[in-house]
Amino acid sequence: MKLFKEKDLKKDLGFWSALSIVVGVVIGSGVFVKPGTVLSYVGGDTNLALLAWLFGGILTLAAGLTIAELSAHFPKTGGLYVYLEEVYGRFWGYLSGWVQCVIYQPALIGAMGLYFGSLVAHFFFLNKIWGLWIGISVVLFLTLVNSLGVKYGGIIQVITTITKLVPIFFIAIFGLWNGNNHIFFSSSGISSEISMGAAILATLFAYDGWIAAASVAGEMKNPAKTLPKAIITGLMIVIIAYLSVNLALLKLLPAKAVQLSGENAASTATEILFGSVGGKLLSIGIIISIFGGLNGKILSYPRVLFAMAKHHRFPGSNFLSFIHPKFKTPIFAVFFEVALSIIFMSISNPDRLSEISIFAIFIFYIQAFIAVFILRKRKRTISCLYRVPLYPLTPLLAIAGSLFVVMSTIIYDPKGTLSAIALILLGLPFYWWMNRMRT
């Protein structure tokens, strides 16, 4: 097996593929199922609900604008892991990579695979037991496709991203056109405790995943230029899509109906717009949306493990850094991540694992945002293809938003926080063991 060389990776991803990864990974089912939940958190106040979506989008955009500068500085495969390793050194890079590769990424792949299988089984009136096998099958299928070459996964990503935007477009346009309800200064009339923090936190989780495109920088054409543009453009599309759907739902349905419908609010709106066929069309749209998001994760996530392996930061690095001589893909890193995902799908609840690991990921996000200040100080005279606008306000806003997520998680889920910390610490014995092996 040959060791990794950046030039061995085939650079088949252009701007549109990178853009589709950002949009495709972020937009899964959240845009369809979260509006009612967010409205409930703010006591049914439509103004506060829309403000939560807008504020979550602004914080995410600030994060994307900030990370884009790091991606221009370090246009290499591995994303967040590479940024922290380059700025803070081996230890912090390893910890961030550990959390991503062993918990966060396989858990999210597993959760999305299970949700895909469940929806497909329900759509075809199959027994629930089939959901697991359908989910595993689609994960294995996309693993095969992405192992044959990054361009094939990129093609699927572009097609599914365009397709998933179709139901969003129709709900937004026809909902705003046909609706008669007042969007602003309305209330569901259902009294409940207002928690703006919980509402914004829910939207931030819905916006999460945009950094996945940074993991495949080594397979992009001109990544220093392409990646920042893809991240910023992709997040703008996501923010507009999320706000448009929420405005359309509130225009078409009373706030009380949106809140009481919960996860079914978008489905109810679609049936009003397009009749009984509308619900089925939306179900198909969500299935395609999840399929595209799953493909984006399988395409991008294993690259973090691959980048760690090429630096000998993970057990079995020689094996995991292998590149297929014909397809030019890190097939063993892909297989490893998918194997962990299938284990989570079979024996556990990956949704819970992903929730507690998000806390840890945002800790490393904060480090990445601070890294921009460190790089500016170290390399004042070095020009860059991209610099974050409105510096230092933009990275400070990104830091504030991430601190909000971390503190909110500690308050709302202290047990999950302790579990996340325990999972981080679990990686330390492996780190010390590998250091001893090198000495």
Side-chain angles (χ1 to χ4, degrees):
M1 296 182 197
K2 64 177 179 177
L3 295 179
F4 164 84
K5 292 181 181 178
E6 192 80 20
K7 63 182 177 63
D8 289 330
L9 291 173
K10 201 167 183 180
K11 297 182 179 292
D12 277 332
L13 296 177
F15 169 74
W16 293 108
S17 296
L19 176 64
S20 67
I21 292 174
V22 176
V23 177
V25 171
V26 175
I27 299 180
S29 59
V31 65
F32 302 107
V33 302
K34 285 293 185 182
T37 303
V38 173
L39 192 59
S40 296
Y41 281 138
V42 294
D45 188 306
T46 59
N47 284 9
L48 291 179
L50 292 171
L51 188 62
W53 283 104
L54 178 61
F55 192 53
I58 291 173
L59 291 177
T60 303
L61 184 60
L65 290 169
T66 304
I67 288 295
E69 181 165 324
L70 294 180
S71 71
H73 272 293
F74 310 114
K76 304 176 183 178
T77 295
L80 184 63
Y81 156 71
V82 170
Y83 307 152
L84 298 190
E85 170 118 336
E86 292 280 355
V87 177
Y88 296 103
R90 181 185 301 170
F91 177 75
W92 288 109
Y94 166 81
L95 277 186
S96 70
W98 167 266
V99 170
Q100 292 178 80
C101 295
V102 177
I103 301 297
Y104 179 75
Q105 294 175 348
L108 290 181
I109 291 174
M112 191 162 278
L114 285 175
Y115 195 29
F116 178 90
S118 175
L119 285 178
V120 171
H122 177 75
F123 187 81
F124 289 104
F125 305 102
L126 299 175
N127 191 291
K128 288 184 178 181
I129 191 65
W130 283 99
L132 173 62
W133 299 111
I134 293 171
I136 291 176
S137 297
V138 75
V139 167
L140 292 176
F141 169 75
L142 290 174
T143 299
L144 176 62
V145 171
N146 283 282
S147 297
L148 295 177
V150 68
K151 71 176 181 180
Y152 299 113
I155 291 171
I156 289 179
Q157 197 62 30
V158 172
I159 293 173
T160 55
T161 298
I162 294 173
T163 305
K164 75 168 58 181
L165 291 175
V166 171
I168 293 174
F169 176 83
F170 277 100
I171 290 175
I173 296 299
F174 288 97
L176 290 171
W177 183 267
N178 294 307
N180 297 311
N181 294 296
H182 294 290
I183 297 176
F184 303 102
F185 303 102
S186 297
S187 175
S188 66
I190 302 175
S191 59
S192 60
E193 182 180 351
I194 296 177
S195 178
M196 196 65 179
I200 296 173
L201 192 61
T203 68
L204 287 173
F205 289 162
Y207 282 114
D208 191 40
W210 50 269
I211 202 172
S215 301
V216 293
E219 291 155 282
M220 288 181 186
K221 305 168 187 175
N222 194 7
K225 182 179 180 181
T226 299
L227 189 53
K229 187 163 59 173
I231 291 175
I232 295 167
T233 306
L235 286 178
M236 290 298 295
I237 292 173
V238 171
I239 292 170
I240 293 171
Y242 280 20
L243 288 174
S244 297
V245 168
N246 277 273
L247 288 168
L249 289 179
L250 292 172
K251 183 71 172 177
L252 195 63
L253 297 171
K256 182 176 182 179
V258 174
Q259 185 173 343
L260 292 178
S261 297
E263 296 181 352
N264 299 312
S267 178
T268 302
T270 309
E271 290 183 6
I272 293 174
L273 289 172
F274 307 111
S276 59
V277 179
K280 292 187 179 296
L281 290 175
L282 182 64
S283 296
I284 294 174
I286 295 176
I287 289 172
I288 294 174
S289 180
I290 295 173
F291 182 83
L294 189 57
N295 179 75
K297 286 175 170 57
I298 294 174
L299 169 64
S300 59
Y301 282 176
R303 270 60 181 179
V304 178
L305 175 61
F306 175 63
M308 291 187 71
K310 62 113 172 183
H311 290 142
H312 299 282
R313 302 287 191 265
F314 207 89
S317 290
N318 287 337
F319 179 76
L320 295 171
S321 62
F322 174 72
I323 299 174
H324 193 280
K326 179 179 179 181
F327 305 130
K328 304 299 182 182
T329 55
I331 56 173
F332 293 145
V334 176
F335 292 162
F336 180 86
E337 286 293 301
V338 169
L340 282 180
S341 302
I342 292 175
I343 291 173
F344 288 151
M345 293 172 72
S346 303
I347 66 173
S348 185
N349 177 6
D351 289 313
R352 181 57 178 163
L353 289 170
S354 63
E355 287 172 4
I356 61 177
S357 62
I358 282 176
F359 165 80
I361 288 298
F362 269 87
I363 291 177
F364 297 117
Y365 279 172
I366 293 171
Q367 287 185 288
F369 302 144
I370 295 175
V372 172
F373 292 94
I374 297 175
L375 285 176
R376 290 285 186 102
K377 185 175 181 180
R378 289 179 184 172
K379 304 180 179 181
R380 288 178 179 174
T381 60
I382 297 178
S383 62
C384 184
L385 290 174
Y386 168 86
R387 287 182 178 270
V388 58
L390 299 178
Y391 178 89
L393 294 180
T394 301
L396 286 175
L397 182 59
I399 293 170
S402 297
L403 283 172
F404 170 79
V405 173
V406 170
M407 297 306 298
S408 296
T409 305
I410 293 173
I411 294 171
Y412 295 118
D413 189 12
K415 291 183 179 179
T417 300
L418 292 176
S419 299
I421 294 173
L423 291 172
I424 295 174
L425 296 178
L426 187 62
L428 294 180
F430 292 97
Y431 176 78
W432 293 325
W433 173 71
M434 286 185 292
N435 279 343
R436 289 190 60 183
M437 293 293 289
R438 281 195 293 269
T439 57

